[in-house]
Amino acid sequence: MAPLPGAELVQRPLQLYRYLLRCCQQLPTKGIQEHYKHAVRQSFRVHSDEDNPERIQQIIKRAIEDADWIMNKVSAWLPAPPAS
């Protein structure tokens, strides 16, 4: 499962939030989707008072890397699509 298109365009926290929620929608089961949506919301609450632009960019970069890792991890669990 490749990262969603547009990851390289994420520059602001709101863009990151939307990107991560779109990633959650790509996950295979409702339970996994809800788990990661909750994690995204919690992380945004924890970092909501961050005002250092350099630190915000570090957080964005790490969040996208983590989302890519999760998407790849979950895709490894899924069975291969049937050959046509």
Side-chain angles (χ1 to χ4, degrees), residues 1-2 27-28 68-80:
M1 199 174 282
L27 297 171
D68 291 347
W69 183 85
I70 290 167
M71 300 295 274
N72 288 330
K73 177 179 130 180
V74 169
S75 70
W77 294 342
L78 299 176

Side-chain angles (χ1 to χ4, degrees), residues 18-80:
R18 290 177 180 162
Y19 173 80
L20 294 175
L21 290 181
R22 284 194 307 271
C23 286
C24 290
Q25 291 174 343
Q26 301 297 314
L27 297 171
T29 68
K30 198 69 162 166
I32 294 172
Q33 291 174 7
E34 291 303 318
H35 171 80
Y36 284 107
K37 280 183 191 177
H38 178 74
V40 167
R41 288 184 189 110
Q42 287 299 101
S43 293
F44 271 80
R45 285 187 189 113
V46 167
H47 295 291
S48 65
D49 61 343
E50 188 64 60
D51 59 359
N52 180 345
E54 190 174 301
R55 177 69 179 130
I56 290 170
Q57 289 306 309
Q58 288 175 343
I59 292 168
I60 289 172
K61 182 178 183 293
R62 179 60 192 260
I64 291 172
E65 289 171 359
D66 289 349
D68 291 347
W69 183 85
I70 290 167
M71 300 295 274
N72 288 330
K73 177 179 130 180
V74 169
S75 70
W77 294 342
L78 299 176

